Amino acid sequence: MKASKGILGAAIGALLLGSVSAYADTIKVGIIGPFSGPFALQGKNFQAGVEAYMALNGKSVKGHDIEVIYRDLPAANPAQSRALAQELVVKEKVQYLGGVYFTPDAMAITPLLKQANTPLVIFNAATSAIMTQSPLVVRTSFTTAQTTSPLGKIATERGVKKVISAVSDYGPGVDAEAAFKKAFEAAGGQVVEAIRMPLNTNDFSPIMQRVRDSGAEAVFAFLPSGPTTLGFVKAYNETGLKQAGIKFFAPGDLTQESDLPALGDGAVGLLTTFHYAVSHDSPENKKFVEAATKAVGGAEQLSFPSVGAYDGMHVIYKMIEATDGKQDAQKAVDAVKGLSWTSPRGPVSIDAETRHITENIYLREVVKGPDGKTFNKEIQTFPNQKDPGLATQ
């Protein structure tokens, strides 16, 4: 009898231990992004990408349940970004951090990662230098240098010899300016003037006048996607630069799909280079777009941050798989160095040295479809592009 009681007690103990273990076995992932305010659509796309990935791949990894906790950072605010990351790590006990729309916010988080034993997977922030701040950062988005570099050659191939650049005055803008200048001058072109605009600029008429007065045959532009990019492209059209024959080159932030309805016919013919278009023709993308459209609430709201989040979750799932749910940031990051897979954007891999994504960059032209709606049509592919950004600094 005593023996059977002992066996029963042990079984109950094991059962209790099992339930505690199962409860503790939930892996928490903290996502920081702009879920309210002027950039809320980008945060909404983060969430759409996360939800699409979990809908298509399940909500557990090797028996470990995945719980996603979101924190809102409406605009660039490094102090608040750091505070949110601390709260997620200390109070919510997340094992992984993801998201982050703006570069200054990512930079503010990196000093916390080692002590927190927590990797950061960046879904958007696009300055090359972020990757040098901590060995525990992996990026699944792009850099502005990566998406911009092909434009130098493209511009000269279209007969342009003189360009004026206009970029937002922060990390990605400076990266974009440097990458375009390097590629354009290497192809024989000249940047006649370089304008850097404060991030809060919303009246672009004076900028367009400077473009007109510069004598340049084209303008190269970079601004963070959102209200500013919409405002800049509208000003380019409304001030008559397009009609005057001044060509327009930019990375794809400036013709993101969610802005195209507002830009209307004025966007037709604009050339951009980018890592992803919602119209990308592949079975993986069709499946992704269907799932992400359900999550975001309509195809007209779907934009590129969703694919950075989708692939970011793929990387986080692989990290969880490699560590079997245990909190070991370095092992998690090491496990995805060299990882390759087929993304909705095309073939991708994580560069083992830089921990940044290698991907195709596409030249796209805004065209009007049979239904009368405009979209980014991919017309040329630059395969397997790494990040050239650090080499331009």
Side-chain angles (χ1 to χ4, degrees):
M1 185 71 180
K2 284 183 181 176
S4 53
K5 277 188 179 176
I7 293 167
L8 188 59
I12 291 171
L15 186 62
L16 288 172
L17 263 172
S19 22
V20 169
S21 173
Y23 177 76
D25 210 20
T26 297
I27 310 294
K28 294 183 178 181
V29 178
I31 307 293
I32 297 171
F35 299 105
S36 68
F39 297 95
L41 183 59
Q42 315 303 347
K44 197 172 182 183
N45 271 272
F46 277 180
Q47 190 167 355
V50 170
E51 291 181 5
Y53 189 83
M54 296 179 82
L56 293 173
N57 296 278
K59 297 182 179 180
S60 66
V61 180
K62 289 179 72 174
H64 307 288
D65 294 332
I66 312 301
E67 179 185 350
V68 179
I69 301 170
Y70 295 96
R71 285 292 180 270
D72 182 24
L73 186 65
N77 186 331
Q80 190 181 357
S81 175
R82 183 185 175 94
L84 289 173
Q86 284 177 322
E87 179 194 335
L88 283 165
V89 168
V90 176
K91 185 179 175 184
E92 300 292 349
K93 297 187 171 18
V94 302
Q95 289 190 31
Y96 297 89
L97 288 168
V100 195
Y101 192 68
F102 287 107
T103 285
D105 301 322
M107 291 288 202
I109 294 171
T110 55
L112 306 175
L113 301 178
K114 184 177 180 181
Q115 187 179 355
N117 191 22
T118 305
L120 169 63
V121 179
I122 294 176
F123 295 174
N124 188 74
T127 299
S128 297
I130 295 170
M131 309 308 291
T132 67
Q133 304 303 298
S134 169
L136 299 178
V137 180
V138 178
R139 177 162 40 207
T140 57
S141 52
F142 60 98
T143 68
T144 48
Q146 187 180 34
T147 57
T148 296
S149 289
L151 278 172
K153 186 180 178 187
I154 289 164
T156 55
E157 285 174 349
R158 280 157 176 73
V160 173
K161 295 179 180 176
K162 293 183 177 181
V163 167
I164 180 170
S165 70
V167 305
S168 293
D169 192 8
Y170 78 130
V174 174
D175 279 3
E177 177 190 271
F180 178 80
K181 186 172 189 286
K182 182 179 180 181
F184 187 54
E185 289 181 347
Q190 177 191 1
V191 177
V192 297
E193 188 178 349
I195 302 170
R196 292 188 181 176
M197 305 170 284
L199 263 176
N200 60 357
T201 302
N202 52 38
D203 178 9
F204 297 104
S205 301
I207 304 294
M208 299 306 155
Q209 190 59 51
R210 286 176 68 178
V211 171
R212 187 184 292 275
D213 294 344
S214 72
E217 301 153 314
V219 58
F220 164 75
F222 172 80
L223 304 90
S225 55
T228 50
T229 50
L230 180 59
F232 189 93
V233 179
K234 282 185 127 179
Y236 166 78
N237 287 323
E238 291 168 2
T239 55
L241 294 188
K242 185 177 182 182
Q243 293 83 343
I246 296 172
K247 293 182 171 65
F248 180 99
F249 299 104
D253 310 72
L254 278 87
T255 61
Q256 66 170 332
E257 282 80 2
S258 54
D259 284 346
L260 290 178
L263 293 171
D265 289 352
V268 173
L270 294 183
L271 294 174
T272 60
T273 46
F274 220 35
H275 63 296
Y276 177 66
V278 174
S279 61
H280 181 71
D281 187 13
S282 74
E284 291 83 8
N285 190 49
K286 285 182 173 65
K287 190 191 294 186
F288 164 72
V289 167
E290 184 181 355
T293 297
K294 286 177 186 172
V296 82
E300 72 286 349
Q301 297 188 73
L302 195 61
S303 189
F304 67 89
S306 60
V307 83
Y310 183 87
D311 287 330
M313 289 304 291
H314 179 72
V315 165
I316 289 171
Y317 271 42
K318 291 296 182 184
M319 288 177 168
I320 294 168
E321 187 179 313
T323 56
D324 198 17
K326 296 180 178 65
Q327 188 155 0
D328 187 336
Q330 192 59 62
K331 184 177 180 181
V333 170
D334 289 344
V336 298
K337 290 178 180 177
L339 178 69
S340 61
W341 69 100
T342 303
S343 159
R345 68 188 99 176
V348 299
S349 62
I350 300 298
D351 184 273
E353 186 179 343
T354 64
R355 291 162 280 110
H356 171 70
I357 197 164
T358 298
E359 59 195 331
N360 293 346
I361 301 299
Y362 305 95
L363 173 63
R364 307 104 51 82
E365 181 180 6
V366 178
V367 300
K368 189 176 282 191
D371 60 358
K373 294 179 180 177
T374 52
F375 69 98
N376 289 300
K377 182 181 180 181
E378 294 172 351
I379 57 176
Q380 188 177 348
T381 302
F382 299 85
N384 301 319
Q385 298 292 299
K386 295 188 175 185
D387 174 30
L390 292 174
T392 66
Q393 296 176 359

